[in-house]
Amino acid sequence: MSSSIKIDFVSDVSCPWCAIGLKSLQQAVDNIGEAAQIDLHFQPFELNPKMGPEGQDIGEHLSEKYGSSPEQQEQARAMIRSRGAEVGFDFAMDKRSRIYNTFDAHRLLHWAGLEGKQTELKLALLGAYFTDGENPSSHDVLARVAAGVGLDREGALAVLQSDQFTEEVREREQFFQRHGINSVPAVIINEQYLISGGQPAAVFERALREIIAKA
């Protein structure tokens, strides 16, 4: 009989390491096969909760937030592209010039979880931003991406044009912040074990196998 493992994946759709970490985690889950039933939940985290609706130039943003030079930013982009390629995720950095507020994307992901399409929407939103260079704060973009994974476009727009799930998303954000999560991705297994960062698949696989062995 296989174990049941709950995974809370705390992340943002504008976080490149979250895309890498998710693809690595999926590889690890594939590798363990039927050894465990995985119950995966995406939890909200905003890298830039005070970002205005117009967004900000990404180079300017990184310089202000981290003090990084253009050369350092290019080195980081090269590393991210390389790690992304290793896990089958395409970072088209030349298409992505701005960073945006992602709160509405998190509200839509909450709704997608109720509709049984959260993983599909999460991957599609990461692709829309990092591969296609689209604006993840745009309601039109969000509704189109939702429709692309089989969710109802009008239902998505209804969520986005209301304040639906605002309280739920804020509560989840605050819950994980109170429990010490201040950087992402943060992968919490069975509400006990924390793996931080966009780790290689082998790290996730080893942790999952150890937890299965203890069950």
Side-chain angles (χ1 to χ4, degrees):
M1 183 176 170
S2 62
S3 304
S4 179
I5 293 179
K6 181 187 178 190
I7 300 178
D8 288 300
F9 193 94
V10 188
S11 60
D12 199 355
V13 298
S14 63
C15 161
W17 291 104
C18 295
I20 291 165
L22 176 54
K23 295 292 282 186
S24 293
L25 176 62
Q26 288 185 312
Q27 285 183 5
V29 169
D30 287 345
N31 289 345
I32 66 169
E34 296 180 2
Q37 285 288 115
I38 303 296
D39 183 21
L40 177 61
H41 301 267
F42 291 97
Q43 304 291 356
F45 186 99
E46 291 176 85
L47 288 171
N48 302 289
K50 296 179 180 175
M51 182 66 67
E54 72 288 348
Q56 184 182 17
D57 175 82
I58 198 156
E60 179 184 286
H61 173 77
L62 292 171
S63 294
E64 284 181 9
K65 190 170 183 179
Y66 303 110
S68 55
S69 67
E71 293 76 22
Q72 289 169 324
Q73 290 175 29
E74 183 49 47
Q75 286 174 353
R77 282 193 289 269
M79 181 193 295
I80 287 166
R81 273 195 301 269
S82 173
R83 285 290 307 278
E86 289 172 10
V87 294
F89 190 91
D90 179 20
F91 286 98
M93 299 297 193
D94 55 319
K95 293 183 181 178
R96 186 173 63 103
S97 61
R98 298 185 76 74
I99 195 150
Y100 298 94
N101 186 289
T102 55
F103 186 70
D104 283 347
H106 288 300
R107 290 197 302 119
L108 199 65
L109 280 161
H110 185 95
W111 171 69
L114 302 176
E115 299 289 321
K117 290 275 189 181
Q118 198 180 43
T119 299
E120 293 89 339
L121 182 60
K122 182 72 170 187
L123 284 165
L125 289 173
L126 289 166
Y129 182 52
F130 287 110
T131 306
D132 301 330
E134 298 202 81
N135 175 357
S137 70
S138 160
H139 288 184
D140 286 342
V141 169
L142 290 170
R144 175 166 44 78
V145 172
V149 299
L151 288 159
D152 178 64
R153 185 178 185 278
E154 295 308 313
L157 281 172
V159 170
L160 293 165
Q161 291 167 1
S162 70
D163 62 356
Q164 218 174 346
F165 307 124
T166 292
E167 288 184 15
E168 291 87 341
V169 171
R170 291 281 183 233
E171 185 278 325
R172 290 281 83 194
E173 287 180 332
Q174 290 162 11
F175 174 86
F176 288 102
Q177 286 168 7
R178 283 198 307 273
H179 285 77
I181 303 302
N182 51 33
S183 64
V184 287
V187 181
I188 302 162
I189 305 174
N190 285 346
E191 300 179 349
Q192 297 178 65
Y193 309 97
L194 170 65
I195 301 173
S196 298
Q199 300 291 343
V203 171
F204 290 119
E205 183 178 348
R206 185 165 58 248
L208 291 171
R209 291 194 184 281
E210 287 174 3
I211 290 163
I212 291 165
K214 290 176 186 173

